[in-house]
Short mmCIF file of all heavy atoms in Angstrom, two decimals:
data_model
loop_
_atom_site.label_atom_id
_atom_site.label_comp_id
_atom_site.label_asym_id
_atom_site.label_seq_id
_atom_site.Cartn_x
_atom_site.Cartn_y
_atom_site.Cartn_z
N MET A 57 25.83 -131.80 -129.79
CA MET A 57 26.79 -131.33 -130.62
C MET A 57 27.75 -130.43 -129.94
O MET A 57 28.96 -130.44 -130.46
CB MET A 57 26.14 -130.65 -131.90
CG MET A 57 26.96 -130.30 -133.04
SD MET A 57 27.63 -131.72 -133.81
CE MET A 57 28.44 -130.85 -135.21
N VAL A 58 27.24 -129.59 -129.15
CA VAL A 58 28.18 -128.56 -128.51
C VAL A 58 29.13 -129.26 -127.82
O VAL A 58 30.32 -128.85 -127.76
CB VAL A 58 27.28 -127.65 -127.60
CG1 VAL A 58 28.24 -126.75 -126.88
CG2 VAL A 58 26.30 -126.82 -128.44
N MET A 59 28.88 -130.43 -127.02
CA MET A 59 29.92 -131.04 -126.18
C MET A 59 30.85 -131.73 -127.07
O MET A 59 32.06 -131.65 -126.74
CB MET A 59 29.07 -132.02 -125.34
CG MET A 59 30.10 -132.61 -124.41
SD MET A 59 30.78 -131.40 -123.17
CE MET A 59 29.42 -130.67 -122.51
N VAL A 60 30.36 -132.25 -128.23
CA VAL A 60 31.47 -132.79 -129.20
C VAL A 60 32.27 -131.72 -129.78
O VAL A 60 33.54 -132.07 -129.73
CB VAL A 60 30.63 -133.55 -130.33
CG1 VAL A 60 31.65 -134.02 -131.36
CG2 VAL A 60 29.81 -134.66 -129.79
N ASN A 61 31.89 -130.57 -129.98
CA ASN A 61 32.65 -129.57 -130.51
C ASN A 61 33.73 -129.06 -129.47
O ASN A 61 34.88 -128.78 -129.88
CB ASN A 61 31.94 -128.34 -130.89
CG ASN A 61 30.98 -128.47 -132.22
OD1 ASN A 61 31.45 -129.42 -132.93
ND2 ASN A 61 30.01 -127.77 -132.35
N ARG A 62 33.41 -129.18 -128.18
CA ARG A 62 34.33 -128.77 -127.17
C ARG A 62 35.41 -129.81 -127.05
O ARG A 62 36.55 -129.44 -126.78
CB ARG A 62 33.73 -128.58 -125.90
CG ARG A 62 32.81 -127.29 -125.76
CD ARG A 62 32.11 -127.02 -124.59
NE ARG A 62 31.44 -125.79 -124.60
CZ ARG A 62 30.65 -125.48 -123.57
NH1 ARG A 62 30.51 -126.11 -122.51
NH2 ARG A 62 29.90 -124.23 -123.77
N ILE A 63 35.06 -131.10 -127.04
CA ILE A 63 35.89 -132.08 -126.67
C ILE A 63 36.87 -132.51 -128.01
O ILE A 63 38.03 -132.79 -128.00
CB ILE A 63 35.29 -133.37 -126.09
CG1 ILE A 63 34.62 -132.98 -124.73
CG2 ILE A 63 36.26 -134.52 -125.93
CD1 ILE A 63 33.71 -133.98 -124.12
N LEU A 64 36.01 -132.68 -129.12
CA LEU A 64 36.74 -133.05 -130.43
C LEU A 64 36.53 -131.88 -131.39
O LEU A 64 35.59 -131.87 -132.23
CB LEU A 64 36.13 -134.30 -130.97
CG LEU A 64 36.31 -135.50 -130.07
CD1 LEU A 64 35.51 -136.64 -130.69
CD2 LEU A 64 37.72 -135.92 -129.84
N PRO A 65 37.34 -130.76 -131.40
CA PRO A 65 37.04 -129.53 -132.20
C PRO A 65 37.25 -129.80 -133.80
O PRO A 65 36.58 -129.12 -134.43
CB PRO A 65 38.01 -128.54 -131.68
CG PRO A 65 39.05 -129.27 -130.89
CD PRO A 65 38.39 -130.57 -130.51
N ARG A 66 38.02 -130.75 -134.08
CA ARG A 66 38.35 -130.79 -135.51
C ARG A 66 38.01 -132.29 -136.01
O ARG A 66 38.17 -133.09 -135.28
CB ARG A 66 39.83 -130.53 -135.83
CG ARG A 66 40.18 -129.16 -135.52
CD ARG A 66 41.60 -128.88 -135.96
NE ARG A 66 42.06 -127.48 -135.67
CZ ARG A 66 42.57 -127.17 -134.59
NH1 ARG A 66 43.10 -128.11 -133.72
NH2 ARG A 66 42.94 -125.94 -134.34
N ILE A 67 37.64 -132.37 -137.33
CA ILE A 67 37.26 -133.64 -137.95
C ILE A 67 38.64 -134.36 -137.88
O ILE A 67 39.77 -133.91 -138.28
CB ILE A 67 36.82 -133.41 -139.30
CG1 ILE A 67 35.46 -132.71 -139.30
CG2 ILE A 67 36.84 -134.72 -140.16
CD1 ILE A 67 34.92 -132.36 -140.70
N GLY A 68 38.57 -135.59 -137.50
CA GLY A 68 39.73 -136.41 -137.42
C GLY A 68 40.29 -136.66 -135.99
O GLY A 68 41.16 -137.54 -135.82
N ASN A 69 39.82 -135.72 -135.13
CA ASN A 69 40.38 -135.89 -133.80
C ASN A 69 39.78 -137.07 -133.12
O ASN A 69 38.69 -137.57 -133.38
CB ASN A 69 39.97 -134.59 -132.93
CG ASN A 69 40.69 -133.41 -133.22
OD1 ASN A 69 41.60 -133.23 -134.08
ND2 ASN A 69 40.48 -132.32 -132.48
N SER A 70 40.49 -137.70 -132.20
CA SER A 70 40.02 -138.90 -131.48
C SER A 70 40.48 -138.77 -130.08
O SER A 70 41.24 -138.16 -129.64
CB SER A 70 40.54 -140.12 -132.08
OG SER A 70 42.01 -140.22 -132.00
N VAL A 71 39.58 -139.54 -129.23
CA VAL A 71 39.84 -139.64 -127.85
C VAL A 71 39.25 -140.98 -127.35
O VAL A 71 38.35 -141.35 -128.04
CB VAL A 71 39.28 -138.49 -127.04
CG1 VAL A 71 37.86 -138.47 -127.13
CG2 VAL A 71 39.73 -138.39 -125.58
N SER A 72 39.77 -141.46 -126.36
CA SER A 72 39.14 -142.83 -125.80
C SER A 72 37.65 -142.52 -125.33
O SER A 72 37.40 -141.45 -124.94
CB SER A 72 39.96 -143.44 -124.69
OG SER A 72 39.92 -142.69 -123.49
N VAL A 73 36.91 -143.55 -125.26
CA VAL A 73 35.60 -143.40 -124.73
C VAL A 73 35.57 -142.91 -123.38
O VAL A 73 34.82 -142.04 -122.91
CB VAL A 73 34.78 -144.72 -124.91
CG1 VAL A 73 33.41 -144.57 -124.22
CG2 VAL A 73 34.54 -145.07 -126.34
N ALA A 74 36.38 -143.64 -122.53
CA ALA A 74 36.49 -143.14 -121.10
C ALA A 74 37.00 -141.78 -120.93
O ALA A 74 36.44 -140.96 -120.14
CB ALA A 74 37.51 -144.11 -120.41
N GLY A 75 37.87 -141.26 -121.84
CA GLY A 75 38.41 -139.91 -121.76
C GLY A 75 37.28 -138.97 -122.14
O GLY A 75 37.20 -137.92 -121.51
N TYR A 76 36.46 -139.25 -123.21
CA TYR A 76 35.40 -138.51 -123.57
C TYR A 76 34.38 -138.32 -122.37
O TYR A 76 33.91 -137.29 -122.12
CB TYR A 76 34.67 -139.14 -124.76
CG TYR A 76 33.42 -138.23 -125.18
CD1 TYR A 76 33.68 -137.20 -126.23
CD2 TYR A 76 32.28 -138.40 -124.75
CE1 TYR A 76 32.68 -136.42 -126.72
CE2 TYR A 76 31.20 -137.67 -125.21
CZ TYR A 76 31.31 -136.60 -126.15
OH TYR A 76 30.32 -135.85 -126.61
N LEU A 77 33.93 -139.52 -121.82
CA LEU A 77 32.98 -139.46 -120.75
C LEU A 77 33.57 -138.59 -119.63
O LEU A 77 32.71 -137.91 -118.98
CB LEU A 77 32.58 -140.84 -120.35
CG LEU A 77 31.84 -141.71 -121.33
CD1 LEU A 77 31.68 -143.00 -120.84
CD2 LEU A 77 30.52 -140.98 -121.63
N THR A 78 34.78 -138.75 -119.32
CA THR A 78 35.32 -137.95 -118.01
C THR A 78 35.34 -136.52 -118.47
O THR A 78 34.97 -135.80 -117.55
CB THR A 78 36.86 -138.51 -117.84
OG1 THR A 78 36.81 -139.89 -117.51
CG2 THR A 78 37.37 -137.67 -116.69
N GLN A 79 35.77 -136.11 -119.60
CA GLN A 79 35.80 -134.70 -119.93
C GLN A 79 34.30 -134.10 -119.98
O GLN A 79 34.15 -133.00 -119.51
CB GLN A 79 36.48 -134.50 -121.34
CG GLN A 79 37.93 -134.64 -121.32
CD GLN A 79 38.57 -134.43 -122.64
OE1 GLN A 79 38.13 -133.49 -123.41
NE2 GLN A 79 39.62 -135.33 -122.92
N ALA A 80 33.53 -134.87 -120.66
CA ALA A 80 32.07 -134.37 -120.67
C ALA A 80 31.50 -134.18 -119.27
O ALA A 80 30.75 -133.27 -119.08
CB ALA A 80 31.17 -135.34 -121.63
N ALA A 81 31.64 -135.31 -118.47
CA ALA A 81 31.03 -135.26 -117.10
C ALA A 81 31.52 -134.10 -116.32
O ALA A 81 30.89 -133.48 -115.63
CB ALA A 81 31.21 -136.50 -116.43
N ASN A 82 32.82 -133.71 -116.43
CA ASN A 82 33.46 -132.69 -115.80
C ASN A 82 32.93 -131.29 -116.35
O ASN A 82 32.76 -130.28 -115.54
CB ASN A 82 35.07 -132.64 -115.86
CG ASN A 82 35.60 -133.69 -115.18
OD1 ASN A 82 35.05 -134.32 -114.23
ND2 ASN A 82 36.86 -134.05 -115.62
N MET A 83 32.59 -131.19 -117.66
CA MET A 83 32.05 -129.99 -118.19
C MET A 83 30.60 -129.80 -117.68
O MET A 83 30.11 -128.64 -117.47
CB MET A 83 32.14 -129.94 -119.66
CG MET A 83 33.50 -129.86 -120.13
SD MET A 83 33.59 -129.76 -121.93
CE MET A 83 35.24 -129.82 -122.22
N TYR A 84 29.90 -130.84 -117.71
CA TYR A 84 28.52 -130.79 -117.33
C TYR A 84 28.28 -130.58 -115.76
O TYR A 84 27.51 -129.71 -115.34
CB TYR A 84 27.66 -132.06 -117.51
CG TYR A 84 27.18 -132.15 -118.94
CD1 TYR A 84 27.71 -133.20 -119.77
CD2 TYR A 84 26.30 -131.26 -119.46
CE1 TYR A 84 27.21 -133.45 -121.10
CE2 TYR A 84 25.97 -131.43 -120.85
CZ TYR A 84 26.39 -132.47 -121.57
OH TYR A 84 25.98 -132.64 -122.83
N GLY A 85 29.02 -131.26 -114.95
CA GLY A 85 28.91 -131.03 -113.52
C GLY A 85 27.58 -131.32 -113.10
O GLY A 85 26.61 -131.71 -113.70
N GLY A 86 27.27 -131.46 -111.68
CA GLY A 86 25.99 -131.85 -111.08
C GLY A 86 25.78 -133.25 -110.96
O GLY A 86 26.74 -134.12 -111.32
N PHE A 87 24.65 -133.58 -110.45
CA PHE A 87 24.30 -134.95 -110.07
C PHE A 87 24.15 -135.97 -111.19
O PHE A 87 24.63 -137.12 -111.01
CB PHE A 87 22.99 -134.97 -109.21
CG PHE A 87 22.48 -136.19 -108.63
CD1 PHE A 87 23.25 -136.69 -107.56
CD2 PHE A 87 21.47 -137.03 -109.10
CE1 PHE A 87 23.00 -137.86 -106.85
CE2 PHE A 87 21.28 -138.15 -108.49
CZ PHE A 87 21.96 -138.61 -107.44
N TYR A 88 23.59 -135.56 -112.35
CA TYR A 88 23.52 -136.44 -113.46
C TYR A 88 24.48 -136.36 -114.59
O TYR A 88 24.24 -136.52 -115.77
CB TYR A 88 22.17 -136.34 -114.15
CG TYR A 88 20.97 -136.78 -113.05
CD1 TYR A 88 20.04 -135.85 -112.47
CD2 TYR A 88 20.78 -138.13 -112.87
CE1 TYR A 88 19.21 -136.30 -111.55
CE2 TYR A 88 19.75 -138.52 -112.04
CZ TYR A 88 18.94 -137.61 -111.47
OH TYR A 88 18.01 -137.93 -110.60
N ALA A 89 25.63 -135.73 -114.17
CA ALA A 89 26.69 -135.39 -115.27
C ALA A 89 27.05 -136.63 -116.05
O ALA A 89 27.20 -136.45 -117.32
CB ALA A 89 27.92 -134.83 -114.53
N ARG A 90 27.33 -137.76 -115.40
CA ARG A 90 27.75 -138.91 -116.22
C ARG A 90 26.63 -139.38 -117.15
O ARG A 90 26.98 -139.82 -118.24
CB ARG A 90 28.01 -140.07 -115.18
CG ARG A 90 28.65 -141.32 -115.83
CD ARG A 90 30.20 -141.13 -115.90
NE ARG A 90 30.75 -142.30 -116.21
CZ ARG A 90 32.01 -142.36 -116.75
NH1 ARG A 90 32.73 -141.33 -116.98
NH2 ARG A 90 32.51 -143.63 -117.19
N LYS A 91 25.41 -139.30 -116.72
CA LYS A 91 24.30 -139.69 -117.65
C LYS A 91 24.21 -138.71 -118.81
O LYS A 91 23.91 -139.15 -119.91
CB LYS A 91 22.97 -139.91 -116.80
CG LYS A 91 23.14 -141.04 -115.80
CD LYS A 91 21.73 -141.15 -115.16
CE LYS A 91 21.88 -142.28 -114.15
NZ LYS A 91 20.68 -142.72 -113.63
N LYS A 92 24.33 -137.49 -118.61
CA LYS A 92 24.35 -136.46 -119.68
C LYS A 92 25.51 -136.73 -120.56
O LYS A 92 25.28 -136.56 -121.88
CB LYS A 92 24.43 -135.01 -119.02
CG LYS A 92 23.20 -134.63 -118.35
CD LYS A 92 23.37 -133.18 -117.83
CE LYS A 92 22.24 -132.77 -116.99
NZ LYS A 92 22.42 -131.30 -116.44
N ALA A 93 26.57 -137.08 -120.11
CA ALA A 93 27.82 -137.45 -120.93
C ALA A 93 27.55 -138.60 -121.79
O ALA A 93 27.84 -138.63 -123.08
CB ALA A 93 29.00 -137.61 -120.05
N LEU A 94 26.93 -139.60 -121.31
CA LEU A 94 26.49 -140.83 -122.03
C LEU A 94 25.47 -140.46 -123.06
O LEU A 94 25.66 -140.88 -124.16
CB LEU A 94 25.93 -141.91 -121.12
CG LEU A 94 27.00 -142.65 -120.28
CD1 LEU A 94 26.33 -143.42 -119.19
CD2 LEU A 94 27.81 -143.53 -121.19
N GLY A 95 24.57 -139.58 -122.76
CA GLY A 95 23.63 -139.20 -123.76
C GLY A 95 24.25 -138.42 -124.87
O GLY A 95 23.75 -138.50 -126.09
N SER A 96 25.13 -137.56 -124.64
CA SER A 96 25.85 -136.82 -125.57
C SER A 96 26.57 -137.62 -126.50
O SER A 96 26.56 -137.54 -127.66
CB SER A 96 26.92 -135.85 -124.90
OG SER A 96 27.79 -135.34 -125.74
N LEU A 97 27.26 -138.71 -125.96
CA LEU A 97 28.02 -139.65 -126.74
C LEU A 97 26.98 -140.43 -127.76
O LEU A 97 27.29 -140.58 -128.86
CB LEU A 97 28.71 -140.64 -125.83
CG LEU A 97 29.65 -141.64 -126.46
CD1 LEU A 97 30.93 -140.93 -127.16
CD2 LEU A 97 30.24 -142.48 -125.45
N GLY A 98 25.88 -140.98 -127.20
CA GLY A 98 24.93 -141.81 -127.93
C GLY A 98 24.26 -140.86 -129.01
O GLY A 98 24.07 -141.30 -130.11
N GLY A 99 23.85 -139.61 -128.70
CA GLY A 99 23.29 -138.75 -129.63
C GLY A 99 24.26 -138.41 -130.82
O GLY A 99 23.90 -138.40 -131.96
N ALA A 100 25.46 -138.08 -130.44
CA ALA A 100 26.44 -137.76 -131.56
C ALA A 100 26.74 -138.98 -132.33
O ALA A 100 26.98 -138.81 -133.60
CB ALA A 100 27.63 -137.22 -130.90
N SER A 101 26.86 -140.07 -131.86
CA SER A 101 27.05 -141.39 -132.62
C SER A 101 25.76 -141.76 -133.58
O SER A 101 25.94 -141.93 -134.84
CB SER A 101 27.22 -142.58 -131.58
OG SER A 101 27.40 -143.75 -132.38
N HIS A 102 24.59 -141.59 -133.01
CA HIS A 102 23.39 -141.73 -133.81
C HIS A 102 23.33 -140.63 -134.86
O HIS A 102 22.81 -141.00 -136.03
CB HIS A 102 22.16 -141.75 -133.01
CG HIS A 102 20.85 -141.84 -133.66
ND1 HIS A 102 20.57 -143.25 -134.10
CD2 HIS A 102 19.87 -141.13 -133.93
CE1 HIS A 102 19.33 -143.07 -134.65
NE2 HIS A 102 18.99 -141.93 -134.70
N GLY A 103 23.72 -139.47 -134.67
CA GLY A 103 23.62 -138.38 -135.59
C GLY A 103 24.83 -138.37 -136.63
O GLY A 103 24.92 -137.46 -137.38
N LYS A 104 25.71 -139.32 -136.48
CA LYS A 104 26.88 -139.53 -137.55
C LYS A 104 27.78 -138.40 -137.43
O LYS A 104 28.61 -138.21 -138.40
CB LYS A 104 26.32 -139.75 -138.88
CG LYS A 104 25.27 -140.80 -139.14
CD LYS A 104 25.97 -142.12 -138.97
CE LYS A 104 24.96 -143.16 -139.52
NZ LYS A 104 24.70 -144.33 -138.53
N THR A 105 27.93 -137.78 -136.16
CA THR A 105 29.03 -136.80 -136.06
C THR A 105 30.28 -137.50 -135.52
O THR A 105 31.40 -136.97 -135.91
CB THR A 105 28.51 -135.76 -134.87
OG1 THR A 105 27.36 -135.18 -135.40
CG2 THR A 105 29.64 -134.71 -134.77
N ILE A 106 30.14 -138.56 -134.87
CA ILE A 106 31.33 -139.28 -134.39
C ILE A 106 31.07 -140.67 -134.64
O ILE A 106 30.02 -141.30 -135.01
CB ILE A 106 31.46 -139.17 -132.87
CG1 ILE A 106 30.29 -139.70 -131.98
CG2 ILE A 106 31.80 -137.67 -132.42
CD1 ILE A 106 30.41 -139.75 -130.59
N LYS A 107 32.27 -141.49 -134.61
CA LYS A 107 32.28 -142.89 -134.89
C LYS A 107 32.88 -143.44 -133.66
O LYS A 107 33.88 -143.04 -133.26
CB LYS A 107 32.93 -143.21 -136.07
CG LYS A 107 33.06 -144.67 -136.38
CD LYS A 107 33.69 -145.02 -137.69
CE LYS A 107 35.05 -144.46 -138.03
NZ LYS A 107 35.69 -144.90 -139.08
N ILE A 108 32.35 -144.61 -133.06
CA ILE A 108 32.89 -145.18 -131.89
C ILE A 108 33.48 -146.57 -132.47
O ILE A 108 32.73 -147.41 -132.98
CB ILE A 108 31.88 -145.51 -130.78
CG1 ILE A 108 31.30 -144.20 -130.37
CG2 ILE A 108 32.59 -146.24 -129.64
CD1 ILE A 108 30.20 -144.30 -129.42
N GLN A 109 34.76 -146.73 -132.38
CA GLN A 109 35.46 -148.00 -132.90
C GLN A 109 36.56 -148.28 -132.06
O GLN A 109 37.48 -147.49 -131.81
CB GLN A 109 35.89 -147.58 -134.32
CG GLN A 109 36.59 -148.65 -135.16
CD GLN A 109 36.87 -148.31 -136.47
OE1 GLN A 109 36.66 -147.28 -136.93
NE2 GLN A 109 37.49 -149.26 -137.17
N ASP A 110 36.61 -149.51 -131.71
CA ASP A 110 37.82 -150.09 -130.88
C ASP A 110 38.04 -149.24 -129.63
O ASP A 110 39.28 -148.91 -129.37
CB ASP A 110 39.09 -150.29 -131.68
CG ASP A 110 38.98 -151.21 -132.84
OD1 ASP A 110 38.06 -152.04 -132.77
OD2 ASP A 110 39.49 -150.97 -133.75
N GLY A 111 37.01 -148.75 -128.91
CA GLY A 111 37.16 -147.95 -127.68
C GLY A 111 37.56 -146.53 -127.80
O GLY A 111 38.03 -145.92 -126.96
N MET A 112 37.53 -146.09 -129.22
CA MET A 112 38.02 -144.72 -129.36
C MET A 112 36.69 -144.02 -130.03
O MET A 112 36.02 -144.56 -130.81
CB MET A 112 39.12 -144.67 -130.48
CG MET A 112 40.33 -145.32 -130.04
SD MET A 112 41.05 -144.40 -128.53
CE MET A 112 41.66 -142.92 -129.33
N VAL A 113 36.66 -142.66 -129.63
CA VAL A 113 35.64 -141.83 -130.33
C VAL A 113 36.30 -140.91 -131.31
O VAL A 113 37.30 -140.32 -131.04
CB VAL A 113 35.03 -140.97 -129.25
CG1 VAL A 113 34.05 -140.14 -129.82
CG2 VAL A 113 34.48 -141.74 -128.16
N ILE A 114 35.96 -141.03 -132.62
CA ILE A 114 36.62 -140.22 -133.69
C ILE A 114 35.55 -139.41 -134.30
O ILE A 114 34.40 -139.83 -134.67
CB ILE A 114 37.03 -141.27 -134.76
CG1 ILE A 114 38.01 -142.38 -134.07
CG2 ILE A 114 37.75 -140.63 -136.00
CD1 ILE A 114 38.24 -143.60 -134.91
N ARG A 115 36.00 -138.14 -134.44
CA ARG A 115 34.99 -137.11 -135.05
C ARG A 115 35.04 -137.33 -136.54
O ARG A 115 36.23 -137.23 -137.14
CB ARG A 115 35.39 -135.76 -134.69
CG ARG A 115 34.57 -134.73 -135.30
CD ARG A 115 34.16 -133.62 -134.58
NE ARG A 115 33.24 -132.68 -135.19
CZ ARG A 115 33.10 -131.49 -134.95
NH1 ARG A 115 33.78 -130.95 -134.09
NH2 ARG A 115 32.28 -130.70 -135.82
N ILE A 116 33.89 -137.50 -137.24
CA ILE A 116 33.92 -137.76 -138.70
C ILE A 116 33.24 -136.59 -139.37
O ILE A 116 33.25 -136.59 -140.55
CB ILE A 116 33.28 -139.09 -138.99
CG1 ILE A 116 31.85 -139.38 -138.52
CG2 ILE A 116 34.14 -140.22 -138.53
CD1 ILE A 116 31.23 -140.53 -138.98
N ARG A 117 32.42 -135.76 -138.65
CA ARG A 117 31.79 -134.67 -139.32
C ARG A 117 31.73 -133.46 -138.47
O ARG A 117 31.61 -133.43 -137.32
CB ARG A 117 30.36 -135.17 -139.77
CG ARG A 117 29.58 -134.06 -140.51
CD ARG A 117 28.22 -134.71 -141.05
NE ARG A 117 27.47 -135.11 -139.84
CZ ARG A 117 26.17 -135.23 -140.13
NH1 ARG A 117 25.66 -135.21 -141.29
NH2 ARG A 117 25.35 -135.53 -138.99
#
């Protein structure tokens, strides 16, 4: 949730999936940054904080 708040601070904000992964990986840094970014995306989607639709990540909550 913290990563989502940093990348998509307001409800209704959107970014491409690739853009989200790039920004999150850059914030995490380190060897497994890309995998942590993917986990962040999956967890937020499963928790209904974001919606992934047509290659875009949209904050819904």
Side-chain angles (χ1 to χ4, degrees):
M57 183 72 173
V58 173
M59 192 56 60
V60 173
N61 287 338
R62 290 182 180 177
I63 297 172
L64 301 169
R66 294 187 183 96
I67 294 172
N69 285 5
S70 63
V71 66
S72 69
V73 172
Y76 180 93
L77 291 175
T78 300
Q79 289 180 37
N82 288 339
M83 288 182 191
Y84 279 120
F87 189 71
Y88 293 106
R90 188 86 173 160
K91 292 182 181 192
K92 289 179 183 179
L94 284 168
S96 166
L97 189 61
S101 176
H102 182 73
K104 307 289 189 228
T105 302
I106 62 170
K107 176 173 62 170
I108 302 171
Q109 182 178 0
D110 298 328
M112 297 296 290
V113 178
I114 305 162
R115 176 137 185 212
I116 57 174
R117 187 170 65 162

